Amino acid sequence: MRKTANYLWIDKDGDTYTLVLTPELQDDIGTVGYVQFSKEDVVKKDDSLLELEGSKTVLDLMSPLAGTVVERNTKAIDTPEILNASDANESWVVKLTDVDEDAFNALDDAQ
């Protein structure tokens, strides 16, 4: 099941929620040149997940859900342009667990 919020796709697979940059956000930011992940492992809704610098903008990527960060796409540190990939297996940002299922279900369905 895929939902969308904060210009991110949220893919649910069992108890893991993978946050992926949407094509719209990728287009808005341009080519990603730098990322720095938040060091927090437990995030609240609207906490920063990642500072990102693209060719068109600089932004703080905020979490649409509260949860525990269990994995970060650390490949993006050395190869930030990976976040511009059309393949969600490449352009994901973080994976969360301990997410409130009702909060996830309340998000908009992805188009």
Side-chain angles (χ1 to χ4, degrees):
M1 177 179 289
R2 178 176 274 183
K3 298 284 190 170
T4 187
N6 297 8
Y7 297 98
L8 294 169
W9 282 332
I10 303 95
D11 290 324
K12 181 178 187 262
D13 183 16
D15 292 333
T16 303
Y17 299 77
T18 304
L19 283 59
V20 180
L21 300 181
T22 63
E24 294 81 13
L25 181 58
Q26 290 176 355
D27 186 52
D28 288 349
I29 60 178
T31 302
V32 179
Y34 172 79
V35 298
Q36 181 175 346
F37 286 93
S38 165
K39 294 182 182 0
E40 299 299 320
D41 288 332
V42 177
V43 295
K44 297 178 191 159
K45 182 178 187 234
D46 295 326
D47 278 356
S48 175
L49 295 171
L50 172 78
E51 292 178 24
L52 180 146
E53 292 181 16
S55 60
K56 297 180 184 178
T57 192
V58 175
L59 66 88
D60 226 357
L61 195 62
M62 310 306 244
S63 181
L65 296 165
T68 302
V69 177
V70 293
E71 192 173 351
R72 293 170 176 86
N73 188 353
T74 56
K75 287 183 186 177
I77 295 169
D78 293 327
T79 313
E81 62 274 10
I82 200 170
L83 296 180
N84 292 108
S86 59
D87 181 355
N89 292 319
E90 297 288 327
S91 61
W92 64 277
V93 178
V94 297
K95 295 183 181 190
L96 300 175
T97 60
D98 302 322
V99 170
D100 180 336
E101 178 110 17
D102 290 336
F104 172 74
N105 289 331
L107 299 176
D108 293 332
D109 290 332
Q111 301 297 323

